Every structure is written in C-alpha cells, then in structure tokens.
Amino acid sequence: MAFPHPPEILAARDLRVAELETNSAEALLRVYAWMFYARTTDNHILELFRQGLLKGTVTGGQGNEGMIVPLALLADKDLDVVCFTHRDLGGHLIWGGHLCNHLDQYFANSGSPTKAREGNIHHGDPANRSIPMISHLGIMCSTVAGATDSQRRQGRPAVGFAFFGDGASSTGDVHESMNLASLMSLPVVFVIENNGYAYSTPVSEQFAPGTELYRRAAGYGMEGFTVDGTDVEACARVLGEAIDKVRATSRPVLVEAHIVRLRGHAAYDTGDYLKPGESEALFARDPLPRLRKKLAFWIDSARIDAMEEEINSYVERCIQISLPVSRPDPEGMEADLFAPVQPPIPWIPSLDSVPLPDDGAPHAKADVPPEILTMAQALTRGLRKILSERPESLVLGQDIGTYGGAFRVTEGLLKDFGRPRVLNTPLAESACTGYSIGLALGGHRPIEEFQFADFATEAVTQITLNAATMHFRSGAACPLVLRLPCGGGVGLGSFHSQELESLFLSMPGLKALYPSTPQDAFNAILAAYEDDNPVLLFEHKGLYRRGKHPVSWDPNYRDIWKPRRLRIGDFATLVTYGEMAHLATDACNFLATEYDVAFDVFDLRALAPLQLDAIEESLSRTNRLVVLHEGRRTHGFGAELVAQLTERQFRSLQAPPLRIGSMDLPVPFAAELEAAFRPARDGVIERIVEWGQF
Ligand SMILES: Cc1ncc(C[n+]2csc(CCOP(=O)(O)OP(=O)(O)O)c2C)c(N)n1
Ligand SMILES: [Mg+2]
C-alpha cells in the first residue's frame, strides 16, 4: 500500500539558529510540529503496546523532544553522524525515512528496517550515518566518534552526536570515548540526556551529591555546558552555537541536557518509586505545552489546532498501514549473518608495492624470488602492502607508532605512512574498537592491534555485540581486522597468554584466521583485510620469530579460508591449528618412525567460518579423529570440532575421538608449570599412543 504523504510542515527537516532571530515564530512552529509529531507517535506506540499489538521494551521519548528535536533539526543530515538512543524517536523521525517504516520497526513486521531482527527503536540508517544503537549503554559513543572521523578523513566537515543518559554516564565506555575524542580532536557533541533517572535509579544513587556531569568535560580537556531541555528556544540557540563551533574547531564538547522523563522507564514501568507529587512536577515542566503556550502569543491557535489534527490523523493513518503488514520471514536469516564475499582487491602481484619516485604510483616488482621472513616480518610486509595500496586502510593500537608495537610488527610504518594512518591509541580497548567500528561503517578499513589478545576481553561488547551483529541487524558491512597476539609458552602468565578463540567464536558474526607459517600469515592479513566482516586474526606469539621461511606473492591467498593438509596418512585424522600445527607435525613424524602409523594432519587456518569438507572426507577414510589445540579443553574449540566432524559419521568411527588441549586452569606463570599446563610434544605422543593402542 502507498504510504501517505506527510503534513506539509514536516517537509522541512532543518533549523538554523539565525531563523530564531528573523523568523522565530515560524521556526518555532516547525520545531513544535516535529515535537508534537514525535510525542503523538510515542503516545500511540505506548497505546499499541498496552493493547498487545506490539511487543518488547517500549521506552518512550515523552519529555525528551525539547532537546532531541531542535538538535536533530540543527544537525546536517547530509553530513553528520548520529546514534540515537532509546529516548530519541524525534531524532529518528527527523533524520529520515517514512513513519510507516519506523512503525514497521516497532511492529517487528516484514517491512522493518532491521528485518525485525532488532526491536523497537534499535534501528538506524547506516547509509545515512545514523548508526543503530545496541542496548549496551555507552558503547555507541566511540562508534559515533569513529564514523565522524571517517567523514573528516574524507574531507567532509561532519559533526558527530553521541547521546547517553545520566545512568549511562557511569559506564566506562563513555569516559574512554570522551578522552579519545578530545585526544584526537574529533568533532563530537556528547549529549547527556539527564532525566534524573536510570530505570528506577535516581541520580542520587548514580553519582555523588553535587556532581554536575557537564563539569566532567574539563577532566578531558574539552568544553562542557548545560542546557535546559524543557526550554526549547533557549536549548536550540545554545545547541546551534555549539554545533557551529564544533564544526569549525573540530573540538568535542559535552552538553548536559536537563530533561524530563514523563512516562517512566518503559511501558511496563509503574513508577512506584516516584515520590508523591513528583510525576505532576515533571509534567509541569513538559516542554511541549510550554512551547505551545509561547507560540500562542504569535500564532493563531486555530492554526496550531489544525496542524495538530493533521499530524495526529497522519500518524493514525500510518499505523493503519503498518498494522496489517505481514510478519517477518525467518528465510534468509543465516545468509545475512555475514556481509557477502566480495571480489578480491586488485592487489599488485608482489610482496610489496614499490612507489616510483616520479609519480608516486605503486608498481609491481617483476620476477621476485621468495623472501625469507619470520612470521612477524611477513605480517609487517602485509601491513605495508595494505597501507601502500589501499587509501582506506589504517592501522591502530597501543605503542604501534614509533615503538613499532610490542612485537615490532608495525615497525617503520609510522615513519612511512604518517600519523593519521598509523595511530598510537590510548589504553582504551573498548572505545578504540568502537572507534574502529565507526571508521569501518564510514568506508574505512581499520586494522587494530591488541597489544596482547588477552586485552581484547576489554572490548568484548564492541567485538561480539556491536561489530559482529552489525550486518545481521542493519545490513551494513563492518570490515575490521583485529590482530590478536595470543598463546602461551613464552612465560607470560595468565594475562598475556590466552587462547580466546572459543570465547569469541561462541558468538555469531565473527570470522577468524589463525595462521601458523609466515606465508599463511601474509596471506591471512590480505584475506582478512579484504573481507567485509570483522575478522579476528590470531597471531601466536611463539611463532612470530620461530625461524625464517620463504614468503612470496600468492595469487591464491584466499585459500587461507580453507584447511591445509600438512601430512597424508590413513590411521587417523588429526586436526589442529596455530603453534600446535608444528607440534602435531613433530609428533606425527615420531609416530610414523616409531610405530609406523601415518596421520592425515590438517592445519585448520580458518576457525570461522569452518570449512570442514576436506577433513570430513579424510575422516570417512580414517574413521579416527584427534583434535589438538592450545586452548583449554573444557568448552574448548576442539569440542565444537569433534561435534561437527563426527555428527555425520559417528557410527563409522573406530575409536572415540581424542581431544587434547590445555588444562582447565588459568595459564600459570613459571616455565615448569606452564609446560605442564599446555600440550607438549611428549605428552601429546603419549596420549595418542595410549588412545591408538599401538
Ligand atoms: C551497560 C548496560 N547496563 C544495563 C542496561 C539496562 N538498562 C537499560 S536502560 C537502563 C537505564 C538507563 O538510564 P539512563 O542512561 O539514564 O537513560 P534513560 O533511560 O534514563 O534515558 C538500564 C539500566 C543497559 N542497557 N546497558
Ligand atoms: Mg536517565
């Protein structure tokens, strides 16, 4: 059915501060119209929830319109970046899209912009720089910062708007993000929507008495101020000036907007915790009637009445259109988990790309023999190639600049490619990952180095819930390489030795590569780079400098997504990856010599998505399976491998699958303890001999 045409007054989605001087009545009438529209829609949504016609957590924006509407009207919808919160329906309506589509989102029907995969107000419009929120509060601030920086890096004078509540102001991500934005001079307007409550928790239980949130700005070296979100005109003026200033100076600001939450936390909130008279006091500050009263001085009230009537009937008509839209179809859900595979990047077919001095364009080196490199050097060469040939690439992480990274993999890159593209980051893994996600949404392709894989636990929400779910819920690609120096055996103890693949890969939406040779590492970084999804690149620290091996340009670098057969045999199929691939080869050499048994050995290389065809085929011949990895055994990745590999041929197995991993303990520090903790050559041989009954 055709969508109805919106009322004429809603055709204009902009506001200039100057209009408040020259034509203030008409400008404020426009603001009022949008506020009334947002309020009416929110009220209808609440009613629909009460009638059982829509589900989920309906967090209305009633009371919030006095700030969000002028702000969204003032923002440049062709340039700026936003991530609206659960109180910002007014912002969504102004940013774009037809009301029917927004309502489809609430009805979670087949017309929903998230294909009904996300509820209520968790939608956005990534193509138009409205980034969909995730529930985890505070998390989106850094993504806004990254997407804004992406715009700036492409020469567009964008401003980003990051919203969070008084409750969310306590999250670490908000602080990490403000520090990052200030440090990097990113033009972000951080807006605290202070409505006095986080669910039922009053601000008196959120921060110490006397705290004025906007003053926190000073601690980050940025400007901070308050606005009264119930006084729309004043709010619009202050916000307008602030936005202009941020746009001109590229310095972030922190705005604390004092607003009211008129309808409790969500539709189901009974508000029992409010003090007597408190609700009435909130309604007395409602910005909507306040502005209406002001307008009535200048504008004939019959005109306002008529406008309200027109908006209300428009909203009702849209509801009638969205209500009967068909329910969503589960078909296609799995296909949408990952962004589709794209054609390969036309890389220059050589290890590196050598710019000629005269025109600066990259040219291929002809007929170059393989180079003999460590895995660390191969990765450096991969990064260098990417930075040389791909202007949208950048590399970031702690100490990766002058120092060259904890493992010297980024050595020399800062000198050759300069700061905007080789970026030392502060100690803020979560915000830096959110920032990378924002860059990725804006068209960049960041490669983020975690100093040690262990510290990626600081960014679990960003990685597994923000980045990994992005395509499924919004259709937007999130190309991101997360480099994770992992693994033990180097005497670094519990917090610098983890194997985290099973932790991360139990969440959907992440790809993962785990190379075990310099050539595979070079191929892996190119393949990961050109993938349109977040890719974890596990780099075992023990392999960075374990000998030098030939590395050359490999036109089949994408084969890294498939396992590689390391040995051919018929006694059993052994599946492994990472450093254990070397140990497995050693152990199998020994077993071949001593016991005359040959193993079909596979280096998995890609942990997600798993491509197990060749291994399944092997198992159908050998009928015996050994899985060996360095990660812990319980809940380890091997459990998944055993399950997937044997479920189709369980009945033909001639032995129970053997699963070898580390002990179910934190990684111990002393060399003797760590040696007992991890699979080691002799222990692995012993286990296999016992299992194989040779
Ligand atoms: C990190 C995190 N913890 C808990 C929640 C559950 N939760 C959802 S909304 C909310 C209150 C948020 O309060 P505030 O930030 O002040 O925003 P408001 O709802 O008042 O606009 C809470 C605790 C969440 N979404 N995210
Ligand atoms: Mg609040």
Side-chain angles (χ1 to χ4, degrees), residues 339-347 445 511-513 519-533 552-564 604-606 608-609 611:
V341 173
Q342 297 298 327
I345 284 174
W347 298 106
R445 287 180 173 266
K511 294 193 176 182
L513 292 170
Q519 179 72 60
D520 276 0
F522 182 80
N523 291 359
I525 200 150
L526 298 190
Y529 178 77
E530 65 183 19
D531 200 278
D532 264 356
N533 297 281
S552 53
W553 163 254
D554 175 4
N556 299 317
Y557 61 95
R558 280 194 176 192
D559 284 352
I560 193 76
W561 291 109
K562 291 188 228 147
R564 182 158 58 104
L604 205 51
R605 307 199 292 186
Q611 288 244 5

Side-chain angles (χ1 to χ4, degrees), residues 242-542:
I243 294 168
D244 289 348
K245 191 167 170 189
V246 170
R247 202 178 300 283
T249 60
S250 191
R251 290 294 307 160
V253 297
L254 175 62
V255 184
E256 181 180 3
H258 290 285
I259 51 189
V260 285
R261 192 192 71 181
L262 298 174
R263 293 279 177 195
H265 173 66
Y268 47 68
D269 181 4
T270 47
D272 303 340
Y273 47 86
L274 294 179
K275 293 184 264 314
E278 195 175 342
S279 184
E280 292 74 7
L282 290 175
F283 274 96
R285 291 173 57 213
D286 183 349
L288 193 71
R290 239 180 117 175
L291 181 58
R292 196 186 199 285
K293 209 164 151 195
K294 191 174 206 171
L295 280 174
F297 283 112
W298 304 307
I299 292 173
D300 182 16
S301 68
R303 186 176 161 207
I304 304 177
D305 290 346
M307 185 192 79
E308 290 177 347
E309 180 47 42
E310 194 188 357
I311 290 174
N312 191 41
S313 74
Y314 170 70
V315 173
E316 284 176 352
R317 253 181 306 145
C318 290
I319 291 170
Q320 291 317 312
I321 288 172
S322 284
L323 246 177
V325 171
S326 59
R327 297 305 303 155
D329 189 350
E331 183 74 29
M333 279 208 291
E334 284 180 309
D336 278 352
L337 175 61
F338 290 117
V341 173
Q342 297 298 327
I345 284 174
W347 298 106
I348 292 169
S350 72
L351 272 195
D352 38 26
S353 357
V354 183
L356 285 187
D358 54 347
D359 61 2
H363 296 266
K365 270 188 192 169
D367 303 329
V368 192
E371 293 193 42
I372 309 299
L373 303 174
T374 63
M375 196 168 104
Q377 287 169 331
L379 286 164
T380 311
R381 294 294 282 272
L383 290 171
R384 189 169 275 287
K385 182 173 180 67
I386 292 166
L387 286 165
S388 302
E389 295 179 35
R390 305 305 304 176
E392 76 284 353
S393 64
L394 68 140
V395 173
L396 68 157
Q398 288 159 23
D399 303 293
I400 65 144
T402 316
Y403 191 71
F407 300 97
R408 310 283 173 169
V409 171
T410 57
E411 203 147 48
L413 299 181
L414 176 65
K415 188 169 131 291
D416 292 346
F417 297 96
R419 170 156 166 90
R421 301 190 61 209
V422 180
L423 214 60
N424 259 357
T425 58
L427 240 144
E429 283 81 1
S430 186
C432 290
T433 306
Y435 165 74
S436 298
I437 294 169
L439 283 164
L441 292 174
H444 282 87
R445 287 180 173 266
I447 302 174
E448 182 179 358
E449 173 176 313
F450 286 80
Q451 197 152 78
F452 287 81
D454 310 67
F455 301 115
T457 57
E458 293 290 298
V460 166
T461 306
Q462 293 286 7
I463 296 171
T464 65
L465 297 178
N466 196 359
T469 64
M470 186 67 79
H471 188 262
F472 180 73
R473 63 194 159 90
S474 77
C478 188
L480 201 60
V481 181
L482 304 172
R483 294 188 39 238
L484 300 159
C486 62
V490 275
L492 293 172
S494 267
F495 311 110
H496 294 74
S497 307
Q498 301 279 339
E499 291 282 89
L500 296 178
E501 64 273 21
S502 63
L503 182 140
F504 278 111
L505 298 179
S506 65
M507 302 294 272
L510 296 170
K511 294 193 176 182
L513 292 170
Y514 199 154
S516 64
T517 67
Q519 179 72 60
D520 276 0
F522 182 80
N523 291 359
I525 200 150
L526 298 190
Y529 178 77
E530 65 183 19
D531 200 278
D532 264 356
N533 297 281
V535 183
L536 309 178
L537 183 57
F538 292 106
E539 302 170 4
H540 197 287
K541 299 188 288 288

Side-chain angles (χ1 to χ4, degrees), residues 59 85-87 135-139 164-169 171 193-199 206 261 265:
T59 48
T85 74
H86 53 294
R87 304 265 173 238
S135 287
H136 291 51
L137 299 167
I139 286 290
F164 53 97
D166 43 283
S169 75
T171 64
E193 301 179 343
N194 186 350
N195 56 19
Y197 282 95
Y199 206 145
Q206 195 70 240
R261 192 192 71 181
H265 173 66

Side-chain angles (χ1 to χ4, degrees), residues 73-84:
L73 290 171
L74 287 160
D76 187 333
K77 270 71 73 186
D78 293 325
L79 205 56
D80 293 345
V81 173
V82 285
C83 178
F84 294 118

